[in-house]
Amino acid sequence: MANVWQNILASDALCNHLRTPNNPCLKTLYLRRRALLLQEKSTKVSSSEESFRRSYLQLRSTILFERYGVPKEILCSRSRSVSLRGMNVSLSENKNHNSQDDRYMTIQQMLDHHKEAISNLTFAKDEASLLACASFDGTLSICEVSPICRVLHILSGHAAAVTDVHWSDRNEWLLSCSLDASLRLWDAQTGKCLRIFRDPTKSSINCCAFLPSNNNLVVAGNKRGMVQILNISTGIFPLNGSSQIGAPVTCLTCDGLGRLIWAGDDRGYINSFLVDSATGRLTKGRRLEIQPSVRSQGPLVTSISFTAWAGRGGRDPSLLVSCAANALFLYKSVYFRLIAGCELQLRYVSFLNRIVDEQGGLRLKRRCPLAHHQSKIRSEFCPVSSQPGAWCPNLVSGGEDGCIYFLHVDATSTTTRRIPAHASAVLSVAANYNGALLASGDSRGIIMLWGKPSH
């Protein structure tokens, strides 16, 4: 029965970018109050009240149509088109597109318990309903987003903005890092801080992650350009477990086996490292410049994500890179050899559809346009769809224009659609493992949850 209220909220969200376009605060306040109405009135509903709500939705659709010109069949809950088709400004349209193929169509809930920008959102691994949120207000939160949306724990303790958060493989722990030059390990069940680790250089930490093959080891990148391995069981930074790249580390990710680490910096480079998951030893790999720049420094790399399989259009292991050059870059893996005492065969990255020579030279073929000039915006791979013939995005990203960007990239083309969802820059997006929910967080601390419509 709550679905009717969700459809009402979705209808209003559909027109929100047209409502008071010069006052983003009012737009946010409007949807926030609509979401509160959903939370308060969605329980203990009689059949007569349910019928009244459906009538109200029909009336509301008529009003929105007359005010903003959005077709009523898109706003009506009985239509299957409360969707991206009505909400987006398409950069590359497919006229044969069927609205039934859209993945994330309606806004389900809003959360506003964080007071400053959302730096990262991440769903628990193989868990559809647990969401971890990191914020510049110095706190983290663990939320249950299905079937009831609620905040389970507020994790306080960092003395400055929280810049990253990461789940362990079994969702037992959360790892967070902050501008206060510390890493913290949290019990995800109780919300208690288990251990605090200080950066040896007393530098702000911008990113962190568990090593997939050994969750006793974590990797962190700081403002001094150091990539460091830490043993959270002993609290020791292993010998030869650190390396400097010469510029502040802004983001990092690991491959699925924990053998490779990629780190991005604020000068537009991606640096790779071979890691020994038993000892924590780091060995430098290659350094790639994403895009030459006319500025004295290259564009800021803000996000790196890894997947072993990007979908039917990209079967190779892939990296997705957000870069403050109004672009989103997709890479695929190739092999190269590194001589470091012994010959090691490593997986590395090249641009999608590039020609790679024997020496590892690269040639750019294309990139995906995105509204991203200076903010620390994150992007993610979408779960692979099993529905044959459906238009399903395999990439999703935030944007500085307040939109969520959905991209479908195959061997020959890129299709981009965007939802004008937030009243400020969308800094982080995350999809749960089965693709049923998408979370987006903006620079004002607002988190929106998107899901498939009810029929």
Side-chain angles (χ1 to χ4, degrees):
M1 295 181 179
N3 291 331
V4 179
W5 281 120
Q6 291 170 353
N7 282 321
I8 294 170
L9 183 62
S11 298
D12 281 295
L14 193 68
C15 303
N16 200 41
H17 66 291
L18 302 172
R19 185 182 293 110
T20 60
N22 297 324
N23 193 336
C25 294
L26 185 58
K27 292 191 291 184
T28 301
L29 178 63
Y30 182 87
L31 280 186
R32 184 183 301 173
R33 292 191 173 180
R34 277 291 193 182
L36 289 174
L37 180 65
L38 165 64
Q39 294 173 359
E40 295 173 359
K41 302 296 184 181
S42 61
T43 59
K44 298 180 181 179
V45 181
S46 65
S47 58
S48 60
E49 289 176 332
E50 181 71 7
S51 176
F52 173 78
R53 290 179 181 181
R54 293 189 180 278
S55 299
Y56 175 80
L57 177 58
Q58 295 287 343
L59 178 61
R60 184 65 177 162
S61 300
T62 301
I63 293 173
L64 292 174
F65 168 70
E66 293 178 354
R67 178 67 178 85
Y68 300 111
V70 179
K72 289 185 285 184
E73 60 271 15
I74 292 178
L75 299 168
C76 178
S77 65
R78 295 184 182 276
S79 170
R80 301 172 70 93
S81 305
V82 185
S83 65
L84 298 179
R85 174 188 284 270
M87 301 173 74
N88 79 331
V89 179
S90 178
L91 300 181
S92 178
E93 294 188 5
N94 180 0
K95 295 183 179 180
N96 296 323
H97 166 66
N98 186 342
S99 64
Q100 296 180 22
D101 296 339
D102 283 324
R103 298 294 304 273
Y104 305 105
M105 303 183 182
T106 63
I107 180 173
Q108 303 289 332
Q109 298 282 357
M110 285 185 64
L111 296 169
D112 61 352
H113 55 284
H114 287 294
K115 304 306 179 185
E116 294 186 33
I118 303 299
S119 57
N120 194 14
L121 297 171
T122 176
F123 279 94
K125 295 177 173 62
D126 298 324
E127 169 61 52
S129 62
L130 287 180
L131 176 69
C133 317
S135 173
F136 285 11
D137 64 9
T139 66
L140 302 100
S141 60
I142 302 174
C143 304
E144 182 182 38
V145 296
S146 177
I148 300 174
C149 189
R150 56 177 178 156
V151 179
L152 298 178
H153 303 290
I154 298 291
L155 312 181
S156 302
H158 282 293
V162 181
T163 52
D164 204 358
V165 60
H166 199 261
W167 291 91
S168 63
D169 284 347
R170 296 184 179 180
N171 301 323
E172 300 170 301
W173 307 320
L174 278 175
L175 178 70
S176 64
C177 60
S178 169
L179 297 182
D180 66 4
S182 74
L183 290 157
R184 286 179 179 252
L185 185 69
W186 309 85
D187 187 322
Q189 297 296 321
T190 64
K192 294 182 179 180
C193 182
L194 301 177
R195 298 200 69 176
I196 302 174
F197 311 97
R198 303 293 179 183
D199 186 276
T201 65
K202 299 181 180 180
S203 177
S204 302
I205 303 177
N206 294 324
C207 48
C208 62
F210 286 98
L211 287 187
S213 56
N214 183 357
N215 276 185
N216 283 324
L217 297 181
V218 301
V219 58
N222 68 18
K223 191 175 180 179
R224 290 180 182 267
M226 298 292 294
V227 176
Q228 303 174 95
I229 299 294
L230 167 67
N231 189 316
I232 59 174
S233 296
T234 63
I236 295 175
F237 291 85
L239 184 66
N240 298 321
S242 63
S243 182
Q244 191 162 16
I245 63 176
V249 182
T250 55
C251 54
L252 54 80
T253 192
C254 306
D255 72 346
L257 299 176
R259 296 175 180 174
L260 270 179
I261 296 172
W262 292 275
D265 63 34
D266 71 351
R267 295 182 182 177
Y269 289 89
I270 297 177
N271 305 266
S272 72
F273 302 87
L274 175 70
V275 57
D276 185 335
S277 59
T279 64
R281 179 187 176 92
L282 281 180
T283 304
K284 279 188 177 180
R286 299 269 181 112
R287 189 184 189 204
L288 293 181
E289 185 177 9
I290 292 181
Q291 174 184 328
S293 175
V294 296
R295 296 177 290 171
S296 59
Q297 292 184 344
L300 175 71
V301 181
T302 61
S303 173
I304 304 179
S305 301
F306 173 85
T307 187
W309 190 48
R312 292 185 295 271
R315 297 180 182 275
D316 295 318
S318 302
L319 284 182
L320 179 64
V321 179
S322 293
C323 183
N326 292 317
L328 187 67
F329 298 92
L330 183 65
Y331 296 71
K332 67 178 181 179
S333 294
V334 297
Y335 289 92
F336 75 100
R337 291 188 177 273
L338 173 69
I339 306 300
C342 61
E343 192 176 62
L344 302 171
Q345 190 175 45
L346 306 178
R347 290 183 182 272
Y348 199 61
V349 294
S350 70
F351 279 101
L352 181 68
N353 292 333
R354 286 175 178 236
I355 298 176
V356 184
D357 61 28
E358 293 180 356
Q359 290 74 37
L362 303 175
R363 185 173 64 193
L364 177 63
K365 187 174 183 179
R366 62 192 173 96
R367 66 179 190 176
C368 306
L370 187 73
H372 183 192
H373 179 64
Q374 60 183 4
S375 301
K376 292 186 177 181
I377 288 174
R378 295 179 182 268
S379 56
E380 292 287 345
F381 288 98
C382 289
V384 177
S385 172
S386 60
Q387 184 179 359
W391 187 94
C392 292
N394 46 22
L395 314 175
V396 61
S397 175
E400 290 180 346
D401 54 0
C403 296
I404 303 173
Y405 284 76
F406 294 89
L407 301 95
H408 179 78
V409 179
D410 57 29
T412 59
S413 64
T414 301
T415 304
T416 305
R417 297 184 181 127
R418 60 178 182 171
I419 304 176
H422 290 255
S424 59
V426 181
L427 302 183
S428 183
V429 291
N432 64 358
Y433 82 99
N434 61 9
L437 287 174
L438 177 81
S440 58
D442 65 24
S443 60
R444 295 179 181 268
I446 302 298
I447 300 170
M448 291 188 182
L449 298 169
W450 305 81
K452 298 177 183 179
S454 58
H455 304 313

